[in-house]
């Protein structure tokens, strides 16, 4: 396959072309201009995602697997978390194509969701659960950048 | 252009059939308006007998292109009832083709409001004027809520109790999350937080369901007119205030945030509710709670997109609204918890 220019670079070039040569031609059509603004934002987020998303997801999956293990070891009543962890570990971890990693990421997200619901506010592990949420949020915000809804 | 021409012909036939114009009356200047993420909106003139009157058409988009799914027949039933009541600040609802028999798609015709959206108006005036307009908005939404539930048609669901209503919203958070193409820990976290931080109840009443600056027009008299009622229902009025606040965070300015205490004070004056029911902290709770329904509509569009059942660019764009919302919920809940702790500390100090 051709790896250079990277997918992110190609997307950036498409954005520039749309912005410099297409948008001015539809500037007096509010609906078309609005669509182009939305397309530009989608491309902007895609540029950041394609550059990082598999690595970020693999890293976070490992962290949530470890968190799930700590929760199940220290809170035997956390049966949903234990079941979600089993489900995560049942998914083939060797495949690195995007669909497979996304499937594992969703399974890891279920581990975190169950931990959110089963680790009480006063427990020592709660800080780890909250930290996992905050870490995920930081990446999400990095992807969307300075997002504002288009005024339609 | 061909689509507009065909719609103009159908609209002319429809308006003649319902007696809205003379047999020789014509629809002219039909223009599609930008605005809204769900329905198609047009303005047009009806020219008849030497005069012209301007109206707005709200219509369902073609099948497969809808990002949300709401019922024009039920919306028409409500708007017709409210128009006859005459107390709620809104453009009058005139005619409807609720099944789309003539117009080809379910649609409602309303009076045209000759003015900008509240959002555009707020962005066009200075901060002093913004604060004044915000108080008008407080009075308008309070007037709507003061209309009560009796003006709402019997076809609308009546919650069994305030707790049932709130628990229903919390359940929606979990249902929306379960419907997604992937798991979302933030929505599950929100549902849990909402269960453990309920405020005191408010009387259930007519609620707009998507009250925000983009759904308020400023009429020629400078007064707010509330539009786009597709999510109206009977519920806790603070749902509308909370939704305005959360949308204001996406598309500032937020009319409540300009002066939260003044907004709440004006709202309470007009609605008759008390400050322990409507205050910045309880609005903050509802800013989080009330997001489930309209957010659910956006999530549905995103999920349809993920599964290949939709190709709406708006849904692709709104994928970014999810992380933005995650941050709002986390920051909002943290801020509310800190403020509640301060209030409790003050009350404890006052009791000593």
């Amino acid at each position: 396959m051709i790896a250079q220019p990277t997918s992110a670079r190609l997307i950036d070039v498409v954005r520039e072309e749309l912005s410099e040569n297409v948008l001015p031609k539809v500037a007096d059509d509010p609906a078309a201009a609005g669509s182009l603004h939305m397309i530009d934002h989608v491309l902007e987020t895609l540029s950041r995602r394609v550059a990082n998303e598999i690595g970020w997801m693999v890293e976070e999956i490992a962290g949530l697997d470890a968190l799930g293990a700590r929760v199940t070891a220290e809170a035997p009543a956390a049966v949903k978390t234990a079941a979600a962890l089993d489900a995560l570990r049942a998914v083939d971890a060797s495949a690195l194509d995007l669909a497979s990693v996304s499937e594992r990421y969703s399974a890891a997200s279920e581990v975190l969701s169950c931990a959110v619901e089963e680790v009480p506010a006063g427990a020592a592990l709660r800080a780890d659960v909250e930290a996992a949420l905050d870490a995920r949020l930081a990446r999400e915000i990095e992807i969307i950048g300075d997002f504002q809804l288009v005024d339609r | 252009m061909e689509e507009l021409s065909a719609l103009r012909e159908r609209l002319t036939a429809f308006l003649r059939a319902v007696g809205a114009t003379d047999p020789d009356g014509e629809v002219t200047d039909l223009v599609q308006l930008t605005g809204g993420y769900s329905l198609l909106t047009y303005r047009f003139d009806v020219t008849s007998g030497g005069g012209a009157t301007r109206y707005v058409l709200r219509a369902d988009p073609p099948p497969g292109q809808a990002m949300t799914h709401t019922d024009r027949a039920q919306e028409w039933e409500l708007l017709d009832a409210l128009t006859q009541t005459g107390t709620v600040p809104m453009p009058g609802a005139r005619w409807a083709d609720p099944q789309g028999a003539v117009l080809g798609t379910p649609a409602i015709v309303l009076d045209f409001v000759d003015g900008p959206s509240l959002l555009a108006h707020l962005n066009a005036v200075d901060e002093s004027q913004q604060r004044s307009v915000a108080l008008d908005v407080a009075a308008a939404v309070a007037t709507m809520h003061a209309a009560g539930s009796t003006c709402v048609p019997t076809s609308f669901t009546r919650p069994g109790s305030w707790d049932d209503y709130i628990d229903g919203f919390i359940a929606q958070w979990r249902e929306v999350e379960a419907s997604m193409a992937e798991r979302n820990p933030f929505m599950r976290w929100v549902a849990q937080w909402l269960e453990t931080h309920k405020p005191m109840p408010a009387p259930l009443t007519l609620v707009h369901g998507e009250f925000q600056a983009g759904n308020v027009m400023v009429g020629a008299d400078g007064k707010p007119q509330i539009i786009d009622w597709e999510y109206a229902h009977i519920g806790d009025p603070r749902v509308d205030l909370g939704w305005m606040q959360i949308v204001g965070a996406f598309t500032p300015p937020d009319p409540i945030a300009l002066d939260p205490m003044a907004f709440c004070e004006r709202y309470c004056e007009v609605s008759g509710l008390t400050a322990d029911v409507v205050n910045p902290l309880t609005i903050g709770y509802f800013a989080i709670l009330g997001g489930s329904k309209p957010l659910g509509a956006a999530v549905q569009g995103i999920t349809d997109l993920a599964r290949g059942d939709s190709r709406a660019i708006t849904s692709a764009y709104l994928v970014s609204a999810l992380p933005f919302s995650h941050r709002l919920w986390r920051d909002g809940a943290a801020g509310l918890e800190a403020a509640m702790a301060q209030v409790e500390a003050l009350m404890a100090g006052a009791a000593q």
Side-chain angles (χ1 to χ4, degrees):
Chain A
M1 65 177 278
I2 306 298
Q4 292 291 344
T6 63
S7 300
R9 178 63 189 144
L10 290 172
I11 291 170
D12 290 342
V13 169
V14 171
R15 285 185 68 204
E16 287 169 15
E17 178 68 13
L18 287 174
S19 172
E20 293 172 9
N21 294 323
V22 179
L23 183 59
K25 292 185 170 60
V26 299
D28 56 351
D29 181 341
S35 289
L36 272 180
H37 281 299
M38 287 193 282
I39 289 167
D40 181 64
H41 174 73
V42 171
L43 292 174
E44 179 187 7
T45 62
L46 286 182
S47 173
R48 296 193 188 103
R49 277 178 58 171
V50 297
N52 300 291
E53 65 186 335
I54 289 183
W56 281 353
M57 284 194 286
V58 167
E59 181 184 314
E60 190 175 345
I61 289 166
L64 293 179
D65 183 301
L67 175 65
R70 287 201 302 281
V71 171
T72 53
E74 296 178 29
V79 292
K80 289 197 306 180
T81 306
L85 185 60
D86 287 344
L88 169 62
R89 290 176 173 176
V91 181
D92 178 13
S94 63
L96 288 176
D97 63 282
L98 187 54
S100 298
V101 175
S102 296
E103 182 188 353
R104 287 172 54 217
Y105 187 68
S106 184
S109 297
E110 178 65 9
V111 173
L112 178 56
S113 299
C114 293
V116 162
E117 293 169 341
E118 292 187 320
V119 177
L125 267 175
R126 186 70 196 190
D128 292 349
V129 173
E130 298 292 330
L133 286 168
D134 288 337
R136 171 175 293 212
L137 180 57
R139 288 240 168 101
E140 290 183 347
I141 295 301
E142 184 176 341
I143 289 169
I144 67 169
D146 188 20
F147 172 76
Q148 290 277 318
L149 277 175
V150 172
D151 178 16
R152 300 194 72 200
Chain B
M1 287 304 111
E2 190 177 354
E3 285 179 9
L4 270 184
S5 175
L7 176 59
R8 193 181 73 82
E9 288 179 17
R10 289 196 298 271
L11 196 49
T12 298
F14 170 74
L15 293 170
R16 287 176 181 170
V18 297
T21 182
D22 298 338
D24 60 346
E26 290 285 346
V27 168
T28 58
D29 293 328
L30 177 64
V31 176
Q32 184 172 356
L33 303 176
T34 58
Y37 287 91
S38 50
L39 302 184
L40 300 177
T41 309
Y42 305 85
R43 71 160 168 76
F44 61 94
D45 291 343
V46 176
T47 307
S48 176
T53 307
R54 182 158 288 183
Y55 296 102
V56 165
L57 178 74
R58 273 166 60 73
D60 284 3
Q65 293 183 28
M67 201 189 76
T68 61
H69 304 280
T70 52
D71 186 348
R72 293 293 71 65
Q74 193 173 50
E75 183 182 358
W76 163 250
E77 199 180 0
L78 175 67
L79 293 179
D80 186 40
L82 295 180
T83 299
Q84 291 178 37
T85 302
T87 57
V88 175
M90 53 172 272
R94 298 305 165 200
W95 306 282
D97 184 5
Q99 307 306 328
V102 180
L103 292 173
T105 186
I108 299 171
V109 177
L110 303 114
D111 289 341
F112 177 77
V113 179
D114 187 13
S117 74
L118 174 62
L119 184 62
H121 185 61
L122 286 170
N123 282 311
V125 299
D126 63 27
E127 189 175 334
S128 167
Q129 290 171 294
Q130 285 180 343
R131 287 169 183 258
S132 173
V133 171
L135 297 183
D136 288 341
V137 173
V141 66
T143 302
M144 170 179 65
H145 292 154
S149 60
T150 54
C151 64
V152 180
T154 54
S155 65
F156 282 67
T157 302
R158 261 70 181 168
S161 69
W162 183 84
D163 276 311
D164 284 352
Y165 175 75
I166 298 299
D167 289 344
F169 267 91
I170 295 171
Q172 278 178 19
W173 276 97
R174 294 199 167 95
E175 288 164 11
V176 168
E177 193 275 337
S179 75
M180 296 177 76
E182 65 178 340
R183 304 282 53 82
N184 185 307
F186 292 100
M187 291 190 192
R188 304 266 282 276
W189 174 83
V190 168
Q192 191 199 38
W193 186 89
L194 290 167
E195 280 175 342
T196 55
H197 293 80
K198 285 183 184 176
M200 68 184 298
L204 301 181
T205 186
L206 167 65
V207 170
H208 181 274
E210 203 182 9
F211 187 74
Q212 45 119 331
N215 284 340
V216 178
M217 304 294 290
V218 180
D221 61 356
K223 297 299 180 189
Q225 297 272 305
I226 304 167
I227 64 170
D228 291 5
W229 293 75
E230 64 202 84
Y231 293 110
H233 63 278
I234 294 174
D236 189 305
R238 295 169 292 186
V239 162
D240 281 340
L241 305 179
W243 186 245
M244 167 163 270
Q245 187 149 66
I246 198 163
V247 174
F250 282 77
T251 51
D254 166 16
I256 299 174
L258 290 165
D259 188 341
M261 293 307 294
F263 186 97
C264 291
E265 198 173 305
R266 180 68 179 136
Y267 177 90
C268 288
E269 281 173 6
V270 176
S271 69
L273 296 178
T274 54
D276 51 353
V277 173
V278 178
N279 59 63
L281 294 184
T282 58
I283 292 175
Y285 177 89
F286 281 87
I288 298 174
L289 178 83
S292 61
K293 192 172 181 179
L295 180 77
V299 162
Q300 180 65 56
I302 292 167
T303 303
D304 288 348
L305 196 68
R307 293 179 173 148
D309 297 331
S310 161
R311 55 181 181 82
I313 184 63
T314 307
S315 293
Y317 175 70
L318 287 177
V319 169
S320 290
L322 288 174
F324 191 88
S325 300
H326 297 164
R327 179 170 58 185
L328 284 180
W329 303 332
R330 295 283 286 173
D331 291 352
L336 285 174
E337 285 180 13
M340 287 173 188
Q342 280 188 334
V343 170
E344 284 173 11
L346 285 171
M347 289 175 69
Q352 287 176 353

